[in-house]
């Protein structure tokens, strides 16, 4: 069977083509700011950072034990005289001679003459005499200068979105401030005369606006500053005013609803009047209509109103574009091969992101089932799902036992 939506006059754009067109059209922001490391989590680095230091900076012990020179270990077993202690932060100050060893703790600097550490569990202590066993290995448990990162080598690359571990790595190297790209200012709003806010009584024909909760939460990221412009009525003047005002002080506007070609769908028309517009029907299900364009310097994404379509188009189309705009390196989503435990309905014509629930069996194999009804309005199945089942455009359905590609949601990774 063929998807009736693929029988359009103009051919539908593939998801990859839409992504490429958007990527070619947008310019990443270049404004930067310098912040202290503790404020840099999740921000995008504007510089490549090389290590000003060797890490570790000193040769130190990887164990609690005894530091000795390998030249004293030629005949085994052997005994050495204990002459002092090297603590983490308080190195041994004396000089170790042949026949001597030093008590040492993890992270403590090795005496210059030592090149080996034996774990404390492996020796026998008899007053100031340390008995080393017959199988004592030399050159063990010593962390070399620069073995983690050598001075001048790469710490973090420009365009990296900084993780907790990156902050720790930079801190280890003594980097206290970083230059990052400024956050994107993003305005969001919903359109639709049927939409009411939470707290208002629901009357016939009205629905609660869920999309702004979806978008606000999906945009909660250190790189984005979100302004919620509320609900705009299905009215050309109201939309024109909202678009032009938001475009003045935002980098991006994201709207949901009114994006199709119904009589009350004004997004495309209004954007054409006050900016430049690309209106595409994308070969994606759910979420076919997408308006992309700009009003002056401000980029505009008009998403479909159905909540599942809004989420899928946000994740698959808008989110990569925002990452690029914010200066971040873009990554492809992780896809896994899973056995589909149930049959799935699908018509040829559009790439589908069906909502699925995957599990991993003890042998490591992945299995997936449909999360329920697949309508573009069925939020409950999206909420139950932990992955998309990605079905290519030409696929005409899946039989139980077939292999499919799944994309786990990031919260389940
Ligand atoms: P539209 O894109 O305006 O044609 O809307 C498509 C469907 O999505 C309709 O059923 C709308 O009522 C619904 N819808 C639009 N906006 C929202 C919203 N913000 N929250 C929940 N549902 C919405
Ligand atoms: Mg509408």
């Amino acid at each position: 069977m063929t998807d009736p939506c693929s029988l359009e006059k103009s051919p539908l754009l593939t998801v990859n083509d839409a992504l490429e067109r958007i990527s070619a059209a947008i310019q990443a922001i270049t404004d930067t700011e310098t912040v202290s490391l503790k404020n840099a989590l999740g921000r995008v680095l504007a510089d490549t950072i090389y290590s000003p230091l060797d890490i570790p900076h000193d040769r130190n012990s990887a164990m609690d034990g005894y530091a000795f020179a390998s030249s004293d270990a030629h005949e085994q077993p052997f005994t050495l005289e204990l002459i002092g202690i090297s603590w983490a932060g308080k190195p041994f100050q004396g000089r170790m001679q042949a026949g001597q060893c030093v008590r040492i703790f993890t992270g403590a600097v090795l005496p210059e003459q030592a090149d080996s550490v034996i774990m404390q569990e492996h020796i026998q202590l008899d007053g100031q005499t340390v008995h080393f066993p017959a199988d004592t290995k030399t050159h063990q448990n010593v962390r070399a200068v620069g073995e983690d990162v050598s001075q001048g080598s790469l710490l973090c690359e420009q365009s990296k979105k900084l993780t907790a571990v990156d902050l720790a790595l930079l801190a280890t190297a003594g980097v206290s401030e970083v230059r990052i790209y400024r956050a994107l200012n993003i305005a969001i709003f919903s359109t639709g005369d049927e939409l009411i806010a939470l707290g208002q009584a629901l009357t016939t024909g009205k629905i609660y606006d869920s999309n702004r909760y979806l978008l606000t939460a999906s945009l909660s990221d250190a790189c984005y500053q979100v302004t919620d412009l509320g609900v705009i009525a299905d009215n050309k003047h109201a939309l024109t005013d909202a678009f032009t005002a938001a475009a003045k002080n935002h980098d991006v506007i994201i709207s949901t609803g009114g994006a199709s070609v119904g009589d009350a769908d004004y997004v495309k028309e209004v954007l054409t009047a006050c900016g430049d517009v690309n209106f595409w029907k994308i070969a994606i299900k759910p979420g076919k209509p997408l308006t992309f364009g700009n009003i002056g310097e401000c980029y505009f994404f008009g998403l479909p109103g159905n909540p599942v379509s809004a989420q899928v188009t946000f994740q698959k189309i808008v989110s990569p574009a925002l990452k690029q705009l914010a200066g971040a390196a873009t990554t492809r989503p992780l896809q896994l091969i899973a056995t589909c435990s149930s049959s799935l309905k699908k018509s040829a014509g559009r790439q589908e992101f069906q909502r699925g629930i995957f599990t991993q069996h003890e042998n490591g194999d992945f299995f997936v089932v449909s999360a329920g009804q697949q309508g573009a309005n069925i939020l409950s199945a999206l909420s139950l799902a932990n992955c998309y089942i990605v079905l290519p455009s030409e696929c005409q359905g899946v039989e139980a036992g077939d292999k499919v590609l799944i994309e786990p949601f990031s919260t389940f990774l």
Side-chain angles (χ1 to χ4, degrees):
M1 204 176 92
T2 303
D3 181 351
C5 290
S6 68
L7 304 174
E8 304 261 352
K9 280 188 223 105
S10 52
L12 302 180
L13 203 62
T14 66
V15 173
N16 278 344
D17 285 346
L19 285 172
E20 276 175 23
R21 287 198 197 185
I22 294 172
S23 174
I26 60 181
Q27 294 282 329
I29 51 164
T30 51
D31 301 340
T32 61
E33 54 190 306
T34 298
V35 295
S36 74
L37 202 57
K38 66 176 190 294
N39 293 324
L41 180 65
R43 302 300 297 270
V44 178
L45 262 186
D47 298 308
T48 295
I49 302 184
Y50 299 95
S51 183
L53 302 175
D54 282 319
I55 309 169
H57 197 234
D58 300 298
R59 214 166 47 120
N60 68 79
S61 177
M63 292 286 171
D64 293 334
Y66 293 80
F68 64 99
S70 52
S71 51
D72 279 336
H74 290 315
E75 283 174 26
Q76 298 202 11
F78 58 101
T79 58
L80 298 175
E81 179 197 0
L82 180 60
I83 58 154
I85 305 179
S86 185
W87 303 91
K90 262 190 279 160
F92 172 67
Q93 296 296 345
R95 216 187 131 70
M96 231 175 72
Q97 308 287 345
Q100 297 181 329
C101 67
V102 161
R103 176 85 169 111
I104 196 162
F105 296 101
T106 306
V109 174
L110 245 72
E112 200 189 318
Q113 301 74 25
D115 58 12
S116 310
V117 171
I118 187 166
M119 281 169 72
Q120 61 191 22
E121 292 84 347
H122 294 169
I123 60 95
Q124 295 268 328
L125 189 58
D126 181 8
Q128 292 304 102
T129 305
V130 181
H131 293 265
F132 287 73
D135 57 354
T136 300
K137 292 199 185 81
T138 59
H139 300 97
Q140 301 290 300
N141 306 320
V142 176
R143 298 168 175 163
V145 169
E147 75 171 18
D148 186 355
V149 180
S150 60
Q151 186 179 5
S153 68
L154 178 75
L155 278 180
C156 285
E157 236 167 345
Q158 188 225 354
S159 296
K160 185 156 205 220
K161 195 166 160 57
L162 293 170
T163 63
V165 173
D166 296 329
L167 299 193
L169 179 65
L170 292 166
T172 309
V175 176
S176 59
E177 289 186 330
V178 286
R179 207 164 64 93
I180 52 169
Y181 292 112
R182 73 161 170 82
L184 290 181
N185 294 310
I186 304 176
I188 61 160
F189 61 84
S190 302
T191 69
D193 288 343
E194 72 279 34
L195 302 175
I196 59 169
L198 291 185
Q200 290 180 263
L202 201 60
T203 52
T204 307
K206 301 289 183 187
I207 60 169
Y208 288 117
D209 175 5
S210 55
N211 286 351
R212 278 183 302 129
Y213 286 86
L214 188 78
L215 282 185
T216 308
S218 301
L219 289 165
S220 109
D221 185 295
C223 292
Y224 307 144
Q225 263 166 17
V226 179
T227 317
D228 183 349
L229 297 179
V231 178
I232 317 287
D234 286 321
N235 171 304
K236 281 188 222 172
H237 298 295
L239 282 173
T240 309
D241 290 349
F243 285 12
T244 45
K248 286 192 187 122
N249 49 7
H250 291 92
D251 301 298
V252 182
I253 300 172
I254 305 172
S255 72
T256 64
S260 199
V261 286
D263 287 350
D265 293 331
Y266 298 122
V267 168
K268 179 188 169 201
E269 190 182 330
V270 169
L271 189 65
T272 310
C274 60
D276 297 309
V277 64
N278 280 306
F279 174 74
W280 296 320
K281 289 183 176 166
I282 300 181
I284 185 173
K285 191 175 178 187
K288 185 177 53 154
L290 180 99
T291 309
F292 166 65
N294 61 288
I295 304 165
E297 308 265 280
C298 177
Y299 297 101
F300 184 96
F301 294 92
L303 305 183
N306 272 312
V308 183
S309 307
Q311 173 70 346
V312 170
T313 47
F314 176 82
Q315 288 185 316
K316 303 312 300 176
I317 312 263
V318 181
S319 182
L322 294 180
K323 284 185 188 141
Q324 184 185 336
L325 266 178
T330 47
T331 47
R332 285 161 59 90
L334 172 73
Q335 293 191 328
L336 305 170
I337 297 170
T339 303
C340 197
S341 308
S342 55
S343 62
L344 302 175
K345 282 196 194 135
K346 156 118 180 32
S347 311
R350 288 191 276 170
Q351 185 179 23
E352 286 196 17
F353 292 87
Q354 297 204 4
R355 279 66 72 202
I357 299 170
F358 79 94
T359 46
Q360 186 171 24
H361 284 204
E362 270 172 18
N363 67 358
D365 289 348
F366 295 102
F367 289 82
V368 70
V369 289
S370 167
Q373 292 181 68
Q374 295 292 327
N377 58 328
I378 306 292
L379 262 181
S380 56
L382 180 57
S383 167
L384 278 179
N386 61 7
C387 69
Y388 288 128
I389 306 170
V390 186
L391 302 176
S393 164
E394 63 281 5
C395 166
Q396 299 200 28
V398 171
E399 301 292 335
D402 285 356
K403 300 274 189 228
V404 289
L405 278 181
I406 58 167
E407 273 181 25
F409 295 163
S410 54
T411 39
F412 291 90
L413 291 177

